[in-house]
Amino acid sequence: MTPIVVVDEGTALAFLFEEMLRYSGPGSPAGVALAYMAMRCAFPLLGPPGALERRQIATETAFRGPGARDGFELVTRGVTEGRYVADAVLERPERGITLAAFVFRLSYGDRAVTLLVREGVVTDEFVSLARQEDRSPEAEARLTEAKREHADRLLASDPTEVFDIEAQAPPE
């Protein structure tokens, strides 16, 4: 699997999906996979491969899942340092209930890219189960299975197949 490489005080750090999942724990593999794929998609658009300073990367998203938050935190330290913002105001209701929250804006210096999860990447069933309160044991088991299925499907894809790139600030 392809590592995500960032730089911290002159030292290159490489992060694999498996490390991100261990950091987050087993509860949100699809969210971790989503963060992993978002960084794999956005980072090459923000600067040369392996050259981004981790503590200068900022993330804004409408997606409030803990797995994605943990994935971005491990790689960028953005949650701890206030460069990670999850806010419902970024939702795109015109994309429908399933896709509205799947918006990620990553920035580095004066460059920014907005990623929108493509239709069909996340299923209606998955979002419905995830938002359901007081799930039955059967629904909980199905959600656990759906999380793994979504993670596997994401990881088997090319990042450019997962996201549409809505906007990118041009490099100077």
Side-chain angles (χ1 to χ4, degrees):
M1 192 160 298
T2 304
I4 296 170
V5 181
V6 292
V7 177
D8 192 347
E9 298 183 14
T11 300
L13 304 174
F15 297 95
L16 295 169
F17 169 76
E18 293 81 6
E19 295 167 316
M20 294 170 67
L21 188 59
R22 275 194 303 276
Y23 175 77
S24 181
S28 299
V32 174
L34 196 57
Y36 172 77
M37 296 303 280
M39 288 184 273
R40 284 195 51 217
C41 186
F43 285 6
L45 301 172
L46 297 174
L52 299 183
E53 288 285 340
R54 79 190 294 207
R55 295 174 189 273
Q56 294 178 24
I57 300 164
T59 305
E60 299 171 272
T61 182
F63 185 72
R64 293 171 300 282
R69 179 201 61 223
D70 292 346
F72 284 111
E73 170 64 4
L74 178 63
V75 175
T76 71
R77 302 299 293 167
V79 177
T80 300
E81 297 176 0
R83 291 175 284 99
Y84 178 88
V85 175
D87 191 340
V89 76
L90 299 170
E91 286 186 5
R92 305 285 179 89
E94 70 276 9
R95 298 186 74 222
I97 193 154
T98 297
L99 295 177
F102 290 93
V103 179
F104 299 88
R105 184 175 191 273
L106 287 87
S107 59
Y108 184 77
D110 63 349
R111 296 180 185 182
V113 62
T114 300
L115 306 175
L116 305 172
V117 171
R118 288 187 175 172
E119 191 167 334
V121 171
V122 178
T123 66
D124 294 341
E125 176 199 27
F126 179 78
V127 171
S128 177
L129 281 168
R131 292 182 178 166
Q132 184 180 343
E133 294 182 24
D134 301 321
R135 285 183 287 273
S136 68
E138 295 80 16
E140 191 65 43
R142 176 61 193 130
L143 177 59
T144 298
E145 181 182 359
K147 288 177 183 180
R148 190 72 240 166
E149 290 170 356
H150 276 74
D152 291 345
R153 190 169 45 254
L154 285 164
L155 296 172
S157 302
D158 183 276
T160 60
E161 296 171 351
V162 175
F163 300 99
D164 287 321
I165 300 168
E166 181 188 64
Q168 180 177 348
E172 289 186 357

